[in-house]
Amino acid sequence: MIVVMQGTATQENIQAVIEQMVELGFNVHRTSGAGQMILAGVGTPAAFDVAEFQVLPGVQTAYRISSPYKLAGRGFRPEGTVITFPNGVQVGGENVTIMAGPCSVESREQIRLSAQQVKAAGGQFLRGGAYKPRSSPYSFQGMGVDGLKLLREVGDETGLLVITEVMEISQIEVMLPYIDCFQVGARNMQNFNLLRELGHVRKPVLLKRGIAATIEEVLLSAEYILSGGNYDLMLCERGIRTFETATRNTMDISAIPVLKKLTHLPVLGDPSHGVGKREFVPAMALASVAAGADGLLMEMHPNPDKAMSDGAQSLYPEQLEKLVEQLRQLAPVVGRRVA
Amino acid sequence: MIVVMQGTATQENIQAVIEQMVELGFNVHRTSGAGQMILAGVGTPAAFDVAEFQVLPGVQTAYRISSPYKLAGRGFRPEGTVITFPNGVQVGGENVTIMAGPCSVESREQIRLSAQQVKAAGGQFLRGGAYKPRSSPYSFQGMGVDGLKLLREVGDETGLLVITEVMEISQIEVMLPYIDCFQVGARNMQNFNLLRELGHVRKPVLLKRGIAATIEEVLLSAEYILSGGNYDLMLCERGIRTFETATRNTMDISAIPVLKKLTHLPVLGDPSHGVGKREFVPAMALASVAAGADGLLMEMHPNPDKAMSDGAQSLYPEQLEKLVEQLRQLAPVVGRRVA
Amino acid sequence: MIVVMQGTATQENIQAVIEQMVELGFNVHRTSGAGQMILAGVGTPAAFDVAEFQVLPGVQTAYRISSPYKLAGRGFRPEGTVITFPNGVQVGGENVTIMAGPCSVESREQIRLSAQQVKAAGGQFLRGGAYKPRSSPYSFQGMGVDGLKLLREVGDETGLLVITEVMEISQIEVMLPYIDCFQVGARNMQNFNLLRELGHVRKPVLLKRGIAATIEEVLLSAEYILSGGNYDLMLCERGIRTFETATRNTMDISAIPVLKKLTHLPVLGDPSHGVGKREFVPAMALASVAAGADGLLMEMHPNPDKAMSDGAQSLYPEQLEKLVEQLRQLAPVVGRRVA
Amino acid sequence: MIVVMQGTATQENIQAVIEQMVELGFNVHRTSGAGQMILAGVGTPAAFDVAEFQVLPGVQTAYRISSPYKLAGRGFRPEGTVITFPNGVQVGGENVTIMAGPCSVESREQIRLSAQQVKAAGGQFLRGGAYKPRSSPYSFQGMGVDGLKLLREVGDETGLLVITEVMEISQIEVMLPYIDCFQVGARNMQNFNLLRELGHVRKPVLLKRGIAATIEEVLLSAEYILSGGNYDLMLCERGIRTFETATRNTMDISAIPVLKKLTHLPVLGDPSHGVGKREFVPAMALASVAAGADGLLMEMHPNPDKAMSDGAQSLYPEQLEKLVEQLRQLAPVVGRRVA
């Protein structure tokens, strides 16, 4: 930590700051000159709040210099994490993984047809919500455990892995028998109780970035899961909230290379939520992979115009097929391959 | 709902849109001229997604014209909601309610002293966290049920009502015997499972706006609680995330009068999280009440420099005392009074 | 400046950074321990870009610790700037100054009536645009020099000072004979050529914050004017752009106390642009003064429903009158007075 | 335009709204039912402000349904604009155009070397600032006309076209003899006087999106130039301001496909300003082209660590070379080609 004192700071102020730094476990070095006094704290205490120092009397500003996350940092596993699923499918490494399916499971017919179409297009995972976070209490809230059973059934039929959203601690146990990967939605990225529980589970997790979460906060949320002992974790950029209203969110494509630098965890892109309109999804999917994404999570529906949720951003099956074909050609340009 | 067709829309396109509107329960009227075709859907179907219409073939744009929330709307209770607590304290109406206390309960001494100071300053509620949502898994996570007991103990000693944060469904039952008001934090504003459960509880709830939540989304989240039958609900503006880094968040003071117009629920301000730095908290507290807030939720700590969390934004006891004095003078200017 | 090296930095990397710091005029001190190396640069070179250091090989991060502005800083004139106008009116100090008038000058009758109403309500300045920055080339662009003449004429009649917007260098000369204060609009806050010219003028300037400008950027833009020798400068918060669409902008009320701390310049609030809807303007005006504003710049129109621009956010004359009355009562609560 | 009346609107309110609509030239149709009254205004008046209607008594909300820009809209030239430069180089169509060079012209040696490196890498345009908009008055402000002469000299030597920024009306005349394309920077996107003048010039213009400009505002600013008669215009996405601080700006890649749909003008990406850190520029350049960009504007410097401005985001010459090679492979995947 570095603390810069104000020119008007008293010896008492300086002493008080040094004592607080020492108490946290820092080794403090003073530097001064040109009317400035800098206190450099060397060491890496587990947890402290730099904001507390910023308001101490006589302090001009203070900076944290050690990373607040440990296990999520690239340095923890420089070669990068590769997650291996029971059927041998791997996420990470050279792979560009395709996960697709409808927003919600609506019926056996709908989810079976979806699975067949995802498989035909070349996907490895079937997505589909059984529990749905909806802004309005009057909207369709998902089929629950019946949806989970249908996902498993058609996943097994087609050989697709199943990924679906968990919204609440009590759902974890219910979901375990049916799914291959938990998905934590953007709204729950800082539901710390849920994250902590997922750290104790032995199933992979995909953690989505919140719409107003900084990249550092994403990694701190990842730390909750990793520090529980669950290392099979991947992250997902799905758009942040900005002033622009032409798109549902603003997909922060730059978060992909930035995260790839900072963490060893695989990073996927979700262009469906990122942009929110079907016609722009393929462009954003291609952009995500061009920028280094390890995979894509996309909404596709056999009949988007009749979807019970998110139809506006769901691809038509034939769009998905064409897109995967383009991704296959694009991936090698950036040293990757679509399975 | 209103759907504006593109100039190039075919009769088939128009017909398909009309059918979908009728299916939802709308009565559809067509208007055309100057190369434009407008479909006006009259009626108020419970739930539909206007985005689905925006991407139908031939559609230029579509607007929802009925409000997506019902119980939260001002029209539901034009005179405004007043919440009466067991000790007779009321939130809403002419009252400007003062809620203050430390970020976290840290010890009996700390919370007892806090309560005495809040009482002395003229507050009606003691706040203090027993369960803490922390960005880092390595930060202090709260005292849990021991914290709840201490809150109740010192609340009873001083005659203050107790408000504290609930983070998770399983905590509701645990908290009920000890507290007077549940607080839902910004990070849980869209934890819909939690909101739904709080709709079935018979204790008041304070719901904070999420850092990236629109005002409409706040009201939809309120609708989750109200539609469960719990009408003792108040809202709280606590800062949104913007590009400005001089403050922790940007407190959206204008949300206060806007919410007061749109809803009958009491609206409080939380200047501590709103601005994040102690020195600016009084200015933002005064501004909140000047703008029409029904009360304030503020952090105060007997010794902020030693606080285990949020010390940087916690008022000194003497600051709180002076501030409440100023609020007492300011409130009548806008037709209100501090109890 | 402080540079934190990566744990993997080589001696060569460190040497290169030190050399570049020394070249800029810094005195460099090294601190190391716990695998960290910190280079503290003491000194205050006029201009350098800390981002350049952040990307040097072996550098983890770098911080600027001296303020990038000098003349705008509070330390330059700790007692605060008070601007005295030819008729004795002062902005700054204990005063809360009222500036009001229509968005645009539309006709002699309209601007004369406006001036009379502003005067009657207790204002000191008449605002009104002769040159208008309009998003669309097809919107009314202002009356130009004829508008300036009308402003002067009715300003003299009523004893009000005249403030109006300058959009372009060539307008400065034209405006000088007619106006008492230049206004730089949000869109021109970083029109550096214009700012530099206004530094050479001997008339006060009001500089509005841009909709996406940080507080530091506002002060750097102020520095352009101050460094030219024009010290009669005031700043104005008028709303920033956020994701919220319920209001035209989000008025960053906290910018007022933050700016008051960082700079000696008077800080006004513009609630009309801040919130964009007439009905919420009084609440935001009161909030601004409660938060410490030195004055208000507001739109008022004799007949807002027929205004040629910004009618939606213009107060009715009787609203202004009532509001100034409330401000008169509120100001003393925060140690101020409305003239 | 569509106006939705409140359920409580009086006949008088409705009449007043209709009159105002008719006055603007709308043909008004009424639709009512289920307690709602909708006024559909058919027609396309040149300019009106929908916000004015939103605050009329009895109005719930109002929508503009015709586009506020005309010449910039895709419908004006469905096949897309292709700009042909004197040397035959074309921007638009199938081409992915490469524009690169240093942030500022610093010396003959620096700009000559830059030009040679851009040419070698396969670029068509040399960029370089002679007039520099700098946040601080103490930063390097550019070489001015001497810089222009050097740009022309080395442009002619290498056969590269020259693009450089214009900040002020008086610079237009000065620049005309030396340059091939005017660049309007983000800070001047709403400098309407400058835009209007550029509409009268017979040289192509590249207009950058402001950091807080909506896509609609970009197109309205384009309209200023087009309506002056200058149709040789291209747009450029260069990052918007969001809460994320890991990157200098957040490059809104989705703006590229959205703009390509809405307008016939070529759309470029500027990944250097978009992300602000050299190491992430290639990823964002690839993403831009994958998303449909018609070209790239990038900073490259022979020796970025010694650059007088923006060194942190300037590519090394060898990075540019490698990137263009990748772009050559990627472009055909999306039906384009790098010249």
Side-chain angles (χ1 to χ4, degrees):
Chain A
M1 183 173 49
I2 287 161
V3 181
V4 182
M5 303 301 296
Q6 294 168 355
T8 57
T10 64
Q11 276 308 313
E12 219 171 31
N13 294 158
I14 296 167
Q15 211 41 51
V17 173
I18 292 175
E19 273 166 30
Q20 207 143 329
M21 291 172 80
V22 167
E23 204 173 300
L24 281 169
F26 285 109
N27 232 316
V28 183
H29 301 249
R30 281 191 204 210
T31 303
S32 58
Q36 294 169 330
M37 156 78 71
I38 297 162
L39 304 174
V42 170
T44 53
F48 66 96
D49 186 353
V50 77
E52 316 265 320
F53 283 86
Q54 284 161 351
V55 299
L56 289 182
V59 170
Q60 181 193 304
T61 188
Y63 302 103
R64 172 175 202 120
I65 63 172
S66 57
S67 162
Y69 47 85
K70 311 282 170 198
L71 307 173
R74 169 61 75 168
F76 183 74
R77 200 185 264 178
E79 73 284 8
T81 284
V82 176
I83 305 173
T84 304
F85 284 82
N87 66 352
V89 165
Q90 292 190 319
V91 176
E94 276 188 21
N95 307 290
V96 172
T97 305
I98 307 295
M99 307 182 173
C103 176
S104 305
V105 182
E106 299 169 10
S107 70
R108 174 174 281 119
E109 293 64 39
Q110 174 250 18
I111 194 67
R112 176 176 286 155
L113 191 50
S114 299
Q116 292 165 348
Q117 291 165 337
V118 169
K119 184 72 182 179
Q124 289 90 48
F125 283 74
L126 173 67
R127 60 149 290 154
Y131 301 104
K132 297 301 308 170
R134 304 301 302 273
S135 300
S136 163
Y138 308 121
S139 298
F140 175 58
Q141 310 273 326
M143 289 181 71
V145 70
D146 289 339
L148 296 173
K149 289 178 184 166
L150 292 175
L151 281 168
R152 184 71 275 152
E153 182 182 321
V154 304
D156 286 345
E157 281 175 19
T158 51
L160 291 173
L161 293 160
V162 166
I163 179 169
T164 189
E165 181 164 354
V166 57
M167 288 173 63
E168 220 260 298
I169 291 178
S170 69
Q171 294 166 355
I172 296 177
E173 278 298 311
V174 182
M175 293 172 78
L176 270 173
Y178 302 111
I179 69 160
D180 298 297
C181 188
F182 288 100
Q183 175 184 324
V184 178
R187 293 182 184 83
N188 279 311
M189 194 204 84
Q190 294 197 315
N191 184 336
F192 301 120
N193 297 62
L194 177 62
L195 300 182
R196 205 181 283 113
E197 288 305 313
L198 289 169
H200 300 134
V201 162
R202 289 298 159 264
K203 274 262 160 96
V205 176
L206 177 148
L207 174 65
K208 287 193 169 186
R209 180 185 189 184
I211 56 166
T214 62
I215 285 175
E216 183 171 298
E217 287 169 343
V218 176
L219 293 172
L220 280 165
S221 285
E223 197 81 5
Y224 266 93
I225 297 173
L226 296 170
S227 64
N230 188 351
Y231 289 88
D232 285 342
L233 178 61
M234 48 193 139
L235 307 178
C236 183
E237 160 64 29
R238 46 77 77 209
I240 58 174
R241 188 158 268 181
T242 71
F243 61 83
E244 180 57 66
T245 56
T247 45
R248 180 170 170 181
N249 295 292
T250 297
M251 190 167 179
D252 180 7
I253 294 284
S254 63
I256 296 170
V258 172
L259 279 168
K260 292 295 291 175
K261 184 194 175 191
L262 296 176
T263 183
H264 54 85
L265 300 169
V267 180
L268 283 79
D270 171 352
S272 307
H273 288 86
V275 70
K277 287 184 184 165
R278 183 188 306 138
E279 64 188 312
F280 305 124
V281 169
M284 299 310 286
L286 291 160
S288 298
V289 173
D294 293 297
L296 296 166
L297 180 67
M298 293 181 287
E299 294 188 345
M300 184 227 63
H301 192 286
N303 188 355
D305 302 343
K306 298 287 179 198
M308 294 176 77
S309 54
D310 275 358
Q313 65 193 32
S314 298
L315 293 175
Y316 289 101
E318 56 274 22
Q319 279 183 299
L320 180 66
E321 208 156 331
K322 190 188 155 205
L323 172 59
V324 176
E325 198 40 58
Q326 281 185 295
L327 290 167
R328 250 184 241 292
Q329 294 168 41
L330 185 150
V333 177
V334 291
R336 310 295 292 270
R337 61 185 168 75
V338 176
Chain B
M1 183 172 50
I2 287 161
V3 180
V4 182
M5 303 302 294
Q6 295 168 355
T8 56
T10 63
Q11 276 309 316
E12 218 171 32
N13 294 157
I14 296 167
Q15 209 44 47
V17 172
I18 292 174
E19 272 165 31
Q20 207 144 330
M21 292 173 80
V22 167
E23 203 173 302
L24 281 168
F26 285 108
N27 232 316
V28 184
H29 302 249
R30 283 189 200 212
T31 304
S32 59
Q36 294 168 331
M37 156 79 69
I38 298 162
L39 304 174
V42 170
T44 54
F48 66 96
D49 186 355
V50 76
E52 317 265 321
F53 283 86
Q54 285 161 350
V55 299
L56 289 180
V59 170
Q60 180 191 307
T61 188
Y63 303 103
R64 175 177 199 117
I65 62 171
S66 57
S67 163
Y69 46 86
K70 312 281 169 197
L71 307 172
R74 170 61 75 169
F76 184 74
R77 202 185 263 176
E79 72 284 10
T81 285
V82 177
I83 306 173
T84 304
F85 285 82
N87 68 352
V89 164
Q90 291 190 320
V91 176
E94 277 188 18
N95 306 289
V96 172
T97 305
I98 307 294
M99 308 182 172
C103 177
S104 305
V105 183
E106 299 169 10
S107 70
R108 174 174 282 120
E109 295 64 40
Q110 175 251 18
I111 194 66
R112 176 177 286 155
L113 192 49
S114 298
Q116 291 165 349
Q117 291 165 338
V118 169
K119 184 73 183 179
Q124 289 90 47
F125 282 74
L126 174 66
R127 61 149 288 152
Y131 302 103
K132 298 299 309 169
R134 303 302 299 276
S135 300
S136 164
Y138 309 120
S139 298
F140 174 60
Q141 309 272 326
M143 291 181 69
V145 71
D146 289 340
L148 295 173
K149 289 177 183 167
L150 292 174
L151 281 168
R152 183 72 274 154
E153 182 183 320
V154 305
D156 286 345
E157 281 175 21
T158 51
L160 291 173
L161 293 160
V162 166
I163 177 168
T164 190
E165 181 164 354
V166 58
M167 287 173 65
E168 219 260 301
I169 292 177
S170 69
Q171 294 166 356
I172 296 177
E173 277 298 310
V174 182
M175 294 172 78
L176 269 173
Y178 302 112
I179 68 159
D180 298 299
C181 187
F182 288 99
Q183 176 185 321
V184 178
R187 292 182 184 83
N188 279 311
M189 194 204 85
Q190 294 195 318
N191 184 334
F192 302 120
N193 297 61
L194 178 61
L195 300 182
R196 206 180 283 116
E197 287 306 313
L198 290 169
H200 302 135
V201 162
R202 289 297 158 266
K203 275 263 160 96
V205 176
L206 178 147
L207 174 66
K208 286 193 168 186
R209 180 185 187 183
I211 56 166
T214 62
I215 286 175
E216 184 171 296
E217 287 169 343
V218 175
L219 293 171
L220 280 166
S221 285
E223 196 82 5
Y224 266 93
I225 297 173
L226 297 169
S227 64
N230 189 350
Y231 289 87
D232 286 343
L233 177 61
M234 47 194 139
L235 307 178
C236 183
E237 160 63 30
R238 47 78 75 208
I240 57 173
R241 188 158 267 180
T242 70
F243 62 83
E244 180 56 66
T245 58
T247 45
R248 180 169 170 182
N249 294 292
T250 297
M251 190 168 178
D252 179 7
I253 294 285
S254 63
I256 297 170
V258 172
L259 279 168
K260 292 295 290 177
K261 182 192 175 192
L262 296 177
T263 181
H264 53 84
L265 301 169
V267 179
L268 283 79
D270 172 353
S272 307
H273 287 87
V275 70
K277 288 186 183 163
R278 183 189 305 137
E279 62 187 315
F280 305 124
V281 169
M284 298 311 285
L286 291 160
S288 299
V289 174
D294 293 296
L296 295 165
L297 180 67
M298 292 182 286
E299 294 188 343
M300 184 228 63
H301 193 284
N303 188 355
D305 302 341
K306 299 286 179 200
M308 294 176 76
S309 56
D310 273 358
Q313 67 192 32
S314 297
L315 292 174
Y316 289 102
E318 55 273 22
Q319 278 182 301
L320 179 66
E321 209 157 330
K322 189 188 155 206
L323 172 58
V324 176
E325 199 39 60
Q326 281 185 296
L327 291 167
R328 250 184 242 292
Q329 294 168 42
L330 185 150
V333 177
V334 290
R336 311 295 291 269
R337 62 186 166 75
V338 176
Chain C
M1 182 173 50
I2 287 160
V3 181
V4 182
M5 303 300 297
Q6 294 167 356
T8 56
T10 64
Q11 277 309 314
E12 219 172 33
N13 294 156
I14 296 167
Q15 210 42 49
V17 172
I18 292 175
E19 272 165 32
Q20 205 143 329
M21 292 172 80
V22 167
E23 203 173 303
L24 280 170
F26 285 109
N27 233 315
V28 183
H29 302 248
R30 282 189 201 215
T31 303
S32 58
Q36 293 168 332
M37 156 79 70
I38 296 161
L39 304 174
V42 169
T44 54
F48 65 96
D49 186 355
V50 77
E52 317 265 319
F53 283 87
Q54 285 161 350
V55 299
L56 288 181
V59 170
Q60 181 192 307
T61 187
Y63 303 103
R64 175 177 199 117
I65 63 172
S66 58
S67 162
Y69 47 86
K70 312 283 168 195
L71 306 173
R74 171 59 77 169
F76 183 74
R77 200 185 263 176
E79 73 283 10
T81 285
V82 176
I83 305 173
T84 305
F85 284 82
N87 68 351
V89 165
Q90 293 190 318
V91 176
E94 278 189 17
N95 307 291
V96 172
T97 305
I98 308 294
M99 306 180 174
C103 176
S104 306
V105 182
E106 299 169 11
S107 70
R108 174 173 283 121
E109 296 62 42
Q110 173 250 18
I111 194 66
R112 177 176 284 153
L113 191 50
S114 299
Q116 291 165 349
Q117 290 165 338
V118 170
K119 184 72 182 180
Q124 289 90 47
F125 282 74
L126 174 66
R127 61 149 289 155
Y131 302 105
K132 298 298 309 169
R134 304 302 301 276
S135 301
S136 164
Y138 309 120
S139 297
F140 174 59
Q141 309 272 326
M143 289 181 70
V145 70
D146 290 339
L148 296 173
K149 288 178 185 168
L150 292 175
L151 281 168
R152 184 70 277 153
E153 181 182 321
V154 304
D156 286 345
E157 281 175 21
T158 51
L160 291 172
L161 293 161
V162 166
I163 178 168
T164 190
E165 181 164 355
V166 59
M167 287 173 65
E168 219 260 300
I169 292 178
S170 68
Q171 293 166 355
I172 296 178
E173 279 297 310
V174 181
M175 293 172 78
L176 271 173
Y178 302 112
I179 69 159
D180 298 299
C181 188
F182 288 99
Q183 175 184 323
V184 178
R187 293 183 183 83
N188 279 310
M189 195 204 84
Q190 294 196 317
N191 184 336
F192 302 120
N193 297 61
L194 177 62
L195 300 181
R196 204 179 284 117
E197 288 305 313
L198 289 170
H200 301 134
V201 161
R202 288 299 160 267
K203 276 262 160 97
V205 176
L206 179 148
L207 175 66
K208 286 193 168 185
R209 179 185 188 183
I211 56 168
T214 62
I215 286 175
E216 184 172 295
E217 288 170 342
V218 176
L219 293 172
L220 280 165
S221 285
E223 197 81 3
Y224 266 92
I225 297 174
L226 297 169
S227 64
N230 188 351
Y231 289 88
D232 286 344
L233 178 61
M234 46 193 141
L235 306 177
C236 183
E237 160 64 29
R238 46 77 77 208
I240 57 174
R241 188 159 267 180
T242 70
F243 62 82
E244 180 58 66
T245 56
T247 45
R248 179 169 170 182
N249 295 291
T250 297
M251 191 169 178
D252 179 7
I253 294 285
S254 63
I256 296 170
V258 171
L259 279 168
K260 291 296 290 177
K261 183 192 176 196
L262 296 176
T263 182
H264 52 86
L265 301 169
V267 180
L268 283 80
D270 171 353
S272 307
H273 288 86
V275 70
K277 287 185 184 163
R278 184 188 305 138
E279 64 187 313
F280 305 123
V281 169
M284 299 311 285
L286 290 160
S288 299
V289 173
D294 293 297
L296 295 165
L297 180 68
M298 294 182 287
E299 293 189 344
M300 183 225 66
H301 193 285
N303 188 355
D305 302 343
K306 297 287 179 198
M308 294 176 76
S309 55
D310 275 359
Q313 67 192 33
S314 298
L315 294 174
Y316 289 102
E318 55 273 23
Q319 278 182 299
L320 180 66
E321 209 157 332
K322 188 187 158 208
L323 171 58
V324 176
E325 198 39 60
Q326 281 184 295
L327 290 167
R328 251 183 241 292
Q329 294 168 42
L330 184 150
V333 177
V334 290
R336 310 296 290 270
R337 61 185 168 75
V338 176
Chain D
M1 183 173 50
I2 287 160
V3 181
V4 182
M5 302 302 295
Q6 295 167 356
T8 57
T10 63
Q11 276 309 315
E12 219 171 32
N13 294 157
I14 296 167
Q15 208 44 47
V17 172
I18 292 175
E19 273 166 31
Q20 207 143 329
M21 292 173 79
V22 167
E23 203 172 304
L24 281 168
F26 285 109
N27 233 317
V28 184
H29 301 247
R30 285 190 201 210
T31 304
S32 59
Q36 294 168 330
M37 156 78 71
I38 297 162
L39 304 175
V42 170
T44 54
F48 65 95
D49 186 354
V50 76
E52 316 265 318
F53 283 87
Q54 284 160 350
V55 299
L56 288 181
V59 170
Q60 180 191 307
T61 187
Y63 304 102
R64 172 175 201 119
I65 61 171
S66 58
S67 162
Y69 46 85
K70 312 281 168 196
L71 306 174
R74 170 59 78 169
F76 183 73
R77 201 186 264 177
E79 72 284 10
T81 285
V82 176
I83 305 174
T84 305
F85 284 82
N87 67 351
V89 164
Q90 292 190 319
V91 176
E94 277 188 20
N95 307 290
V96 172
T97 305
I98 307 295
M99 307 182 175
C103 176
S104 305
V105 183
E106 299 170 10
S107 70
R108 174 173 282 120
E109 294 64 40
Q110 174 250 17
I111 195 68
R112 176 176 287 155
L113 192 49
S114 300
Q116 292 165 349
Q117 291 165 337
V118 169
K119 184 72 183 179
Q124 290 89 47
F125 282 74
L126 174 67
R127 60 149 289 153
Y131 302 104
K132 299 298 310 168
R134 304 301 301 275
S135 300
S136 164
Y138 309 122
S139 298
F140 174 59
Q141 309 273 326
M143 289 181 72
V145 70
D146 290 340
L148 296 173
K149 289 178 183 166
L150 292 174
L151 282 168
R152 183 71 276 152
E153 182 183 320
V154 305
D156 287 345
E157 281 175 22
T158 50
L160 291 172
L161 293 161
V162 166
I163 178 169
T164 190
E165 181 164 355
V166 58
M167 288 173 66
E168 220 261 300
I169 292 177
S170 69
Q171 294 166 355
I172 296 177
E173 279 297 311
V174 181
M175 294 172 77
L176 270 173
Y178 303 112
I179 68 161
D180 298 299
C181 187
F182 288 99
Q183 175 184 324
V184 179
R187 293 182 183 82
N188 279 311
M189 194 204 84
Q190 294 195 317
N191 184 335
F192 302 119
N193 297 62
L194 177 61
L195 300 182
R196 206 179 284 115
E197 288 305 313
L198 289 168
H200 301 134
V201 162
R202 287 299 158 266
K203 276 262 160 97
V205 175
L206 178 148
L207 174 66
K208 286 192 168 186
R209 180 185 187 183
I211 56 168
T214 61
I215 286 175
E216 183 171 297
E217 287 170 343
V218 176
L219 293 173
L220 279 165
S221 284
E223 196 82 3
Y224 265 93
I225 297 173
L226 297 170
S227 63
N230 188 350
Y231 288 88
D232 286 342
L233 178 61
M234 48 192 140
L235 307 177
C236 182
E237 160 63 30
R238 47 78 74 208
I240 57 174
R241 189 158 265 180
T242 71
F243 62 83
E244 180 57 67
T245 57
T247 45
R248 181 169 169 183
N249 294 293
T250 297
M251 191 168 177
D252 179 8
I253 295 284
S254 62
I256 296 170
V258 171
L259 279 168
K260 291 294 292 175
K261 183 193 177 195
L262 296 176
T263 183
H264 54 86
L265 300 169
V267 179
L268 284 79
D270 171 352
S272 307
H273 287 87
V275 71
K277 288 184 183 165
R278 183 189 306 138
E279 63 186 314
F280 305 124
V281 169
M284 299 310 286
L286 290 160
S288 300
V289 174
D294 293 296
L296 296 165
L297 180 66
M298 295 183 286
E299 293 189 344
M300 184 228 62
H301 193 284
N303 187 355
D305 301 343
K306 298 288 179 198
M308 294 177 76
S309 56
D310 275 358
Q313 67 193 31
S314 297
L315 294 175
Y316 289 103
E318 56 273 22
Q319 279 182 298
L320 179 66
E321 210 157 330
K322 189 187 156 206
L323 172 59
V324 176
E325 199 38 58
Q326 282 185 294
L327 291 167
R328 251 184 241 290
Q329 294 168 42
L330 185 150
V333 177
V334 290
R336 310 296 290 269
R337 61 184 168 77
V338 176

